[in-house]
Amino acid sequence: MSTPISPEPGPGPDPAVPAGAWASDSVARPEAPPPATVEQPSSIRTAVLLMFAGAALSAVGILLTLVQTDTIRDQIEEDNTNLSESEIDTVVTFAIASGIVIGLVAVGLWLWMAYANGEGKSWARVVATVLGGLNVVSAVLGMVQGVTALGLAVSVLSIVLAVAILVLLYR
């Protein structure tokens, strides 16, 4: 019968290494270099700044809706002569509330696109293109329906802004 061979006695566990840790965990490893940062093109920076201007323009549109309550009422009364005073009040309230909600959504979308495009998200340019196209169509439809001179100026500025942003995003 043979006797088992016992291992030679060694130094024992390293007190600096916590129990359950691998000895190789205590070995210092060189850290990987941080990923190289790519400088954002100036056309993207300008487009992002214009998107913030678009958000501000949408906020101005909300304010215009609030200060033009009488103009909205007059237009509704002119277009719908068979409505009672109560019905006109309801339509005016709905028109103003709709304008505010749409304006707030527009501000949020402008800010979202500014952030996403500024971060270089791959999908952001496509989404900005779709939203920019919808913005242009909406502004043109608003101009066709008849707006005040101030509303016309905001619509034209909105179209110019959307087109400029899209050109800058694709440069």
Side-chain angles (χ1 to χ4, degrees):
M1 184 166 219
S2 66
T3 58
I5 302 174
S6 62
E8 292 188 24
D14 185 354
V17 176
W22 293 93
S24 62
D25 287 346
S26 64
V27 175
R29 292 188 188 108
E31 291 190 25
T37 57
V38 177
E39 185 176 330
Q40 189 180 56
S42 64
S43 62
I44 298 296
R45 281 194 306 270
T46 304
V48 167
L49 289 174
L50 290 177
M51 288 177 197
F52 285 121
L57 185 63
S58 293
V60 167
I62 295 170
L63 294 175
L64 286 176
T65 300
L66 293 172
V67 299
Q68 292 183 338
T69 305
D70 293 334
T71 306
I72 293 169
R73 175 178 293 285
D74 293 343
Q75 186 66 43
I76 290 170
E77 287 174 345
E78 183 181 309
D79 292 345
N80 303 292
T81 56
N82 58 345
L83 293 178
S84 69
E85 193 65 31
S86 171
E87 292 170 327
I88 290 174
D89 288 342
T90 302
V91 173
V92 168
T93 301
F94 180 77
I96 291 171
S98 297
I100 291 170
V101 169
I102 290 169
L104 290 173
V105 168
V107 168
L109 289 173
W110 278 114
L111 295 175
W112 178 46
M113 284 295 95
Y115 170 76
N117 280 286
E119 291 290 313
K121 305 289 184 189
S122 60
W123 50 266
R125 188 183 337 192
V126 175
V127 174
T129 302
V130 171
L131 293 175
L134 290 172
N135 185 27
V136 169
V137 169
S138 173
V140 169
L141 288 176
M143 292 185 327
V144 169
Q145 292 176 353
V147 293
T148 63
L150 190 54
L152 178 66
V154 169
S155 292
V156 168
L157 185 56
S158 178
I159 291 170
V160 169
L161 193 61
V163 170
I165 289 168
L166 291 176
V167 166
L168 288 167
L169 285 178
Y170 284 95
R171 283 186 65 197

